[in-house]
Amino acid sequence: MSSIATERTLDEALDAISPLDETAMAIARRRLDALTKPPGSLGRLEELAVWLAGVTGRPDARIDLPAIIVAAADHGVTAQGVSAYPADVTAQMVANFVSGGAAINVLARTIGASVTVVDVGVRGGTWPLDDAGTGAATLVDARIRAGTADMMTGPAMTRGEALAAIEAGRRVAANATADGADVIGLGEMGIGNTTAASAITAVLTAAPVADVTGRGTGIDDEAWRRKIATIEQALAVNAPDPDDPIGVLAAVGGLEIAALVGVAVEAASARVPVVLDGFITGAAALVAARLAPGIGPRLLAAHRSVEPGHAIALERLGLQPVLDLDLRLGEGTGAALAIGLLSAACRVRDEMATFESAGVSREVAGDHNVRP
Amino acid sequence: MSSIATERTLDEALDAISPLDETAMAIARRRLDALTKPPGSLGRLEELAVWLAGVTGRPDARIDLPAIIVAAADHGVTAQGVSAYPADVTAQMVANFVSGGAAINVLARTIGASVTVVDVGVRGGTWPLDDAGTGAATLVDARIRAGTADMMTGPAMTRGEALAAIEAGRRVAANATADGADVIGLGEMGIGNTTAASAITAVLTAAPVADVTGRGTGIDDEAWRRKIATIEQALAVNAPDPDDPIGVLAAVGGLEIAALVGVAVEAASARVPVVLDGFITGAAALVAARLAPGIGPRLLAAHRSVEPGHAIALERLGLQPVLDLDLRLGEGTGAALAIGLLSAACRVRDEMATFESAGVSREVAGDHNVRP
């Protein structure tokens, strides 16, 4: 799998990322202002439609074929007892995705989205199907290694493995866009991956480890303190250079996080909008934005996770989430909900009457300020 | 219309409002905790499913037939130049609702909701149909008077008119529930009605007028100061008693706000969940909660409007909104978006696999805290 190249190199894809299309955004804004509502009164729902125009270059871009890409991998750092769940759960949940029983399957159905699960590093678990799927999800077997090494004692993976995982993500995204996906939601599964996300976020935002480290799937105070100590030790042992994002991924990242970087890069270079989910996808976004600053504006933040590092990552990315539901599941669940809002924004733009067509009076220019 | 009585009196409906069903909520919570996700990791989405169980008394309550009820009326206080739009727009927008071109029509379609528009006090405008409708919306002609009087010089309406508007709202809600509506979203249309909502909110929360008065559809500084002075004058002239919520409605309210009080009361007494929209529906909720404190927990706050009085009203009601999209349109648009989330919550509850059925390991009890 890691030998299958996308058509462009990573550098070519990064170079292809352009600023948002201001002309398309202006046209979308004019259309929204002609509709029977006070200008801007649908707030961020209107901004979503304008953003979509900017990302795609098309003022009339629609959301007809959403795709959720869930990257899955295991983490050697689970040996340090940083998670409330055994590492086996990663493989079990991948099987659950494929059989359609996970939260992301349900929420993807509510928006008519496909779900593609890409195994870039699950430990254990063998999949009966290769690049095949059920009705519920497509499974892509792109396993690069059976989970990362324990970052506390050395790099989580080699630089080559990080690059291979990025390529795997790019390939899945390229396939999705070739199949017509008009928005890609990022999701992930990997017991232990909030530890990796906290480490990445600490390096790339220069925030103290304790400020970006949370309870993950639900650890207690003692495990939380151990999680912080583990990350601090990992940063001391690996000394990742914040100006080398691939190096940061290799040192303290995760294979699924690297794959999500690849998904974001490929989608951004193809002008396909990317919807983040929670903290893990936010860490991937931090890496991607270091590789190409033009990626940031092409991302939509779905929600603000209860993981404390997420707010810090979003602030650094300049993104304001549209939902605040105290989610902390991952899998792309928040992304699916936000894609529902994006789709609603498109329908408002397309299906509302204009002041002219409906015969509704526009606002009084100035003279409403004159007292009768 | 005001002579058509619902089966119960207002007092009987208020007496029928019960506390949330704790047993149903506990069953729903157990079901959610059995699903393949860390307990509570879907945050407020899970809380929505639990809340729905409590309101309906059924742990398996679903959202199959949502109904949006939009109450419309005019406001005499528009004579004071408190709105950016001419009062004619109320009638024009009612026509727009009926022909399906308004934002609420579009957003209702995204969730499969019916839209019922009840005219309790539109000025001008005659409807070709009586209690009939188009495919886009049903129009109920229940006009009590052609807009309120100017609250700055006297009461907006009589007590009898306020009660009649409440009855009209109750009747529409009773019809909706008889038709099988399993959730009711509140919406409103009435040029000038943020002025009435600010006045009601000031009286019922004891907040200073300036703190609960915003820009409505988009007025400038001068008009905003005039709006505040108008409300202060109206409160001085009418001296509404905060312990007499019907009196407050009559003094400084609106016919559509009174109708929404009736919708909320009737739905609450029928154990049908009520989803608020923005500031105007929040003012109606404040009145309803004064009539029966048991109503508060039966309401879902959809979003936090940019109108400053809305946050104050929601805080008083003890409600935390699920969306934060800077909406300020009204019509029930935020309610429709929130009903989409409520529906997603039900599908998560019903369609996810359990740990048992999917063969996924549960969290490690305690021993994840022991370092290997």
Side-chain angles (χ1 to χ4, degrees):
Chain A
M1 167 64 208
S2 58
S3 64
I4 298 174
T6 44
E7 289 176 19
R8 297 177 300 187
T9 67
L10 177 58
D11 282 341
E12 285 169 345
L14 291 169
D15 286 345
I17 295 169
S18 57
L20 298 190
D21 186 326
E22 296 285 349
T23 306
M25 293 170 85
I27 294 169
R29 224 175 260 121
R30 264 203 303 281
R31 162 75 191 171
L32 289 163
D33 286 349
L35 303 176
T36 49
K37 57 174 183 49
S41 61
L42 281 173
R44 301 196 60 211
L45 206 64
E46 296 189 37
E47 288 173 24
L48 288 180
V50 172
W51 170 80
L52 185 65
V55 170
T56 59
R58 289 178 292 115
D60 60 349
R62 287 167 43 167
I63 302 298
D64 291 324
L65 284 173
I68 305 286
I69 297 178
V70 184
D74 274 301
H75 292 260
V77 73
T78 52
Q80 303 303 328
V82 291
S83 177
Y85 284 79
D88 296 348
V89 167
T90 304
Q92 291 165 352
M93 284 301 299
V94 168
N96 197 18
F97 296 145
V98 173
S99 58
I104 187 55
N105 300 107
V106 177
L107 293 176
R109 280 197 289 274
T110 69
I111 57 163
S114 65
V115 176
T116 300
V117 184
V118 51
D119 169 8
V120 277
V122 177
R123 192 161 63 202
T126 49
W127 316 124
L129 308 165
D130 190 9
D131 281 45
T134 61
T138 301
L139 176 66
V140 177
D141 184 351
R143 200 180 291 182
I144 288 151
R145 53 180 283 176
T148 52
D150 183 353
M151 67 167 87
M152 202 170 93
T153 53
M157 65 188 113
T158 68
R159 190 176 189 90
E161 287 164 344
L163 285 166
I166 290 174
E167 286 309 296
R170 287 182 60 213
R171 191 181 71 126
V172 173
N175 285 342
T177 57
D179 288 347
D182 40 32
V183 61
I184 291 178
L186 303 189
E188 44 61 46
M189 179 69 219
I191 297 297
N193 67 8
T194 59
T195 301
S198 293
I200 291 170
T201 304
V203 175
L204 295 182
T205 69
V209 171
D211 290 0
V212 295
T213 303
R215 307 283 171 152
T217 45
I219 53 175
D220 62 18
D221 283 356
E222 189 193 329
W224 177 67
R225 283 189 293 269
R226 187 167 57 244
K227 185 173 172 181
I228 292 169
T230 300
I231 295 168
E232 284 173 341
Q233 174 77 5
L235 297 182
V237 165
N238 292 289
D241 174 4
D243 292 326
D244 174 18
I246 307 284
V248 174
L249 271 181
V252 296
L255 292 147
E256 82 280 45
I257 298 175
L260 293 176
V261 171
V263 173
V265 167
E266 189 62 27
S269 73
R271 303 191 175 198
V272 172
V274 174
V275 182
L276 302 180
D277 189 36
F279 182 41
I280 319 300
T281 64
L286 282 174
V287 174
R290 283 287 174 119
L291 291 171
I295 286 183
R298 296 183 165 275
L299 307 174
L300 173 65
H303 71 103
R304 183 177 288 112
S305 163
V306 294
E307 280 288 313
H310 193 210
I312 292 171
L314 291 179
E315 191 191 1
R316 182 60 58 99
L317 290 161
L319 302 176
Q320 195 196 340
V322 289
L323 293 164
D324 200 1
L325 292 171
D326 295 339
L327 305 177
R328 57 183 174 85
L329 176 57
E331 301 182 3
T333 48
L337 293 170
I339 289 171
L341 295 178
L342 186 60
S343 174
C346 293
R347 293 191 59 178
V348 161
R349 178 202 62 201
D350 292 344
E351 299 179 24
M352 273 185 72
T354 62
F355 282 98
E356 271 60 43
S357 72
V360 173
S361 304
R362 282 182 180 268
E363 64 190 307
V364 182
D367 68 336
H368 63 278
N369 296 329
V370 182
R371 208 157 176 169
Chain B
M1 169 64 208
S2 58
S3 64
I4 299 173
T6 45
E7 288 176 21
R8 298 177 299 188
T9 65
L10 178 59
D11 283 340
E12 285 168 346
L14 292 169
D15 286 345
I17 295 168
S18 57
L20 298 190
D21 186 326
E22 297 286 349
T23 305
M25 292 170 86
I27 294 170
R29 224 175 260 121
R30 265 203 303 280
R31 163 76 191 168
L32 289 163
D33 285 349
L35 303 176
T36 49
K37 55 172 184 49
S41 61
L42 280 173
R44 301 197 59 211
L45 207 64
E46 296 189 37
E47 288 173 24
L48 288 181
V50 173
W51 170 79
L52 185 65
V55 170
T56 59
R58 288 179 291 116
D60 60 348
R62 287 167 41 168
I63 302 297
D64 291 324
L65 283 173
I68 306 286
I69 297 179
V70 184
D74 274 301
H75 291 261
V77 74
T78 52
Q80 302 303 328
V82 292
S83 177
Y85 284 80
D88 296 348
V89 166
T90 305
Q92 291 165 352
M93 285 301 297
V94 169
N96 197 19
F97 295 145
V98 173
S99 58
I104 187 55
N105 299 107
V106 177
L107 294 176
R109 279 198 289 275
T110 68
I111 57 164
S114 66
V115 176
T116 301
V117 184
V118 51
D119 168 8
V120 276
V122 177
R123 192 161 63 205
T126 49
W127 316 125
L129 307 165
D130 189 9
D131 281 44
T134 62
T138 301
L139 176 65
V140 178
D141 185 350
R143 198 180 293 183
I144 287 151
R145 52 180 282 178
T148 51
D150 184 351
M151 67 167 86
M152 202 170 93
T153 53
M157 64 189 112
T158 68
R159 190 176 188 89
E161 287 164 344
L163 285 166
I166 290 174
E167 286 309 297
R170 286 184 59 215
R171 191 180 73 126
V172 172
N175 285 342
T177 57
D179 289 347
D182 41 32
V183 60
I184 292 179
L186 303 188
E188 43 61 45
M189 180 69 220
I191 297 299
N193 66 9
T194 60
T195 302
S198 293
I200 291 169
T201 304
V203 175
L204 295 183
T205 70
V209 171
D211 289 1
V212 295
T213 303
R215 307 284 170 152
T217 45
I219 53 175
D220 61 18
D221 284 355
E222 189 192 329
W224 177 66
R225 282 189 294 270
R226 186 166 59 243
K227 185 173 171 180
I228 292 170
T230 299
I231 295 168
E232 285 173 342
Q233 173 77 5
L235 296 182
V237 165
N238 292 290
D241 174 3
D243 292 326
D244 173 18
I246 307 284
V248 174
L249 270 180
V252 297
L255 291 148
E256 82 280 43
I257 298 175
L260 293 176
V261 171
V263 173
V265 167
E266 188 64 26
S269 72
R271 302 189 177 201
V272 172
V274 174
V275 182
L276 302 180
D277 188 38
F279 181 41
I280 319 298
T281 64
L286 282 174
V287 174
R290 284 286 174 120
L291 292 172
I295 287 184
R298 295 183 164 274
L299 307 173
L300 172 66
H303 71 103
R304 184 178 287 111
S305 164
V306 295
E307 280 287 314
H310 193 211
I312 292 171
L314 291 178
E315 192 192 359
R316 182 60 58 100
L317 289 162
L319 301 176
Q320 196 195 340
V322 288
L323 293 163
D324 200 1
L325 291 170
D326 296 340
L327 306 178
R328 56 182 174 86
L329 177 57
E331 300 181 2
T333 48
L337 293 170
I339 289 171
L341 295 177
L342 186 60
S343 175
C346 293
R347 293 190 60 177
V348 161
R349 179 203 61 201
D350 292 344
E351 300 178 23
M352 274 184 73
T354 62
F355 281 99
E356 272 59 45
S357 71
V360 174
S361 304
R362 282 182 181 269
E363 63 190 306
V364 183
D367 68 334
H368 63 279
N369 296 328
V370 181
R371 210 157 177 170

